[in-house]
Amino acid sequence: MTKYQIRGGNPLHGTIQISGAKNAAVAIIPAALLVDGACRIENVPQISDVTLILQILRELGADVRTINRTTVEVDCSHIRNRQVPYELARRIRASYYLVGALLSRFGWAEVPLPGGCDLGGRPIDQHIKGFVAMGAEVDVRSGLICARVPGGARLSGGQVYLDMVSVGATMNIMLAATLAQGMTIIENAAKEPHIVDLANFLNSMGADIRGAGTDVIKIHGVTRLRGGTYSIIPDQIEAGTYMAAVAAAGGEVLIKNVIPKHLDCITAKLAEMGVDIEEQDDALLLRREGPLTRVNVKTMPYPGFPTDMQPQIAAVLCVARGTSVLTEGVWDNRYRYVDEFRRMGAQIQVDGKVAVIEGVDHLTGAPIHACDLRAGAAMIIAGLAAQGLTEIDGVYHIERGYETIVEKLAAVGADIRTIHVPGEEDQSQAG
Ligand code: EPU
């Protein structure tokens, strides 16, 4: 079994380079299925979710070439196999993007229901509503999402009003609509930076998508996309996680390769807590010396405070002065990590979607379990701020979404290392 061992108490000093955005990469790579020709994709993060999605494309017959550490070339011109392997698809949430992409290109898709972090119910009814509005017949049976356009025709443009703001449904409908006949309009669309990134990728290959980043997206279907080169945006949540780490551990760190605008909501909260943040062109300089002050935080779709930063900000609030109220506005059950924090001495009460956190003078190191990706990252932050030794297992969750997190933190002075414990098995990757 692989674990992370952290001896807390070191302030962080130096520079951290942010990688490409996970949630953009896992949509852009399947989007290559729509393209006739080779897509060279740059700034690809080296994380296990990306490895998995590339492996799925290889299984489908795509030609996938690694150009260098952060660049891959994906050519799906000669795809023949359309059966997505269950064992791979169930391990990753983003496998649902294969439905939109395959349906758009071939008018037919059968994809195993996706996996992903356990954050409460994760329905896909809005994705399906979108495909149906474009003329597909969709049903879920034997663990598969089966979608087809009757008569083997192309999808046709449709109008979709999303009942709730959904990142996945917005991107999946965009993928499906790209090669559909006519215009598709998505209303109440999500506005996350990765939505804009996917639209920019598709447009750079010849698609006609307007309005991404607003709540109405119009997609004029085209007959063909051609190959090209595209660079993925920096990861908003990875940057936010290191910002939270500096807040909790103290010190002075330059966080490089970011789009500061994407981080405004996180910057504002940390500044309110007493972190000094200086914005530069593509970097943020964070400094924290004095005590942290309590704040209230409510997560919501972009440009609100991201749900994917909720556990990390909770870790910081555990060591802030006073009582903070944290409200989860996106997922039903994103507080499964709280019991682990309590082992470290955190004072947290949860009632439904609200957590009340009373700051303590210090946390104490403990053996804890990373129950999902962002909770795992938050446990690292708690460990950095704690007195004594923290040992985290279940780190495969963290490695799904953070490139070389141990090395990046060790390089700025954190006492963190990876250990391999013989004789104990990692649980199978739930994804
Ligand atoms: N929802 C529905 N029906 C749908 C789709 C969503 O009811 O058809 C609900 C969900 O249950 C949830 C809300 O709508 O309450 C928002 O879900 P959304 O569809 O936006 O989430 P997602 O696309 O499944 C992506 C990210 C998540 C991130 C959310 C919200 C990927 C692969 N995953 O999930 O990222 O939390 O958007 O921003 O892009 C993570 O990276 O740690 C992570 C979990």
Side-chain angles (χ1 to χ4, degrees), residues 22-23 96 122-126 166-168 308 330-331 374:
K22 162 188 165 283
N23 288 344
Y96 54 31
R122 296 188 74 169
I124 53 164
D125 54 302
Q126 300 302 304
S166 161
V167 170
D308 292 344
V330 177
W331 296 109
R374 307 303 174 187

Side-chain angles (χ1 to χ4, degrees), residues 56-64 75-81:
I56 293 176
L57 288 191
R58 272 197 196 94
E59 297 276 334
L60 291 175
D63 187 9
V64 178
D75 188 343
C76 297
S77 315
H78 306 292
I79 292 272
R80 259 173 283 278
N81 177 14

Side-chain angles (χ1 to χ4, degrees), residues 359-400:
V360 294
D361 272 353
H362 60 265
L363 297 170
T364 47
I368 49 177
H369 172 70
C371 51
D372 66 53
L373 167 62
R374 307 303 174 187
M379 285 170 202
I380 295 180
I381 295 170
L384 294 173
Q387 288 180 356
L389 185 69
T390 296
E391 216 170 73
I392 305 175
D393 67 37
V395 301
Y396 53 84
H397 283 299
I398 303 171
E399 292 173 356
R400 287 183 39 221

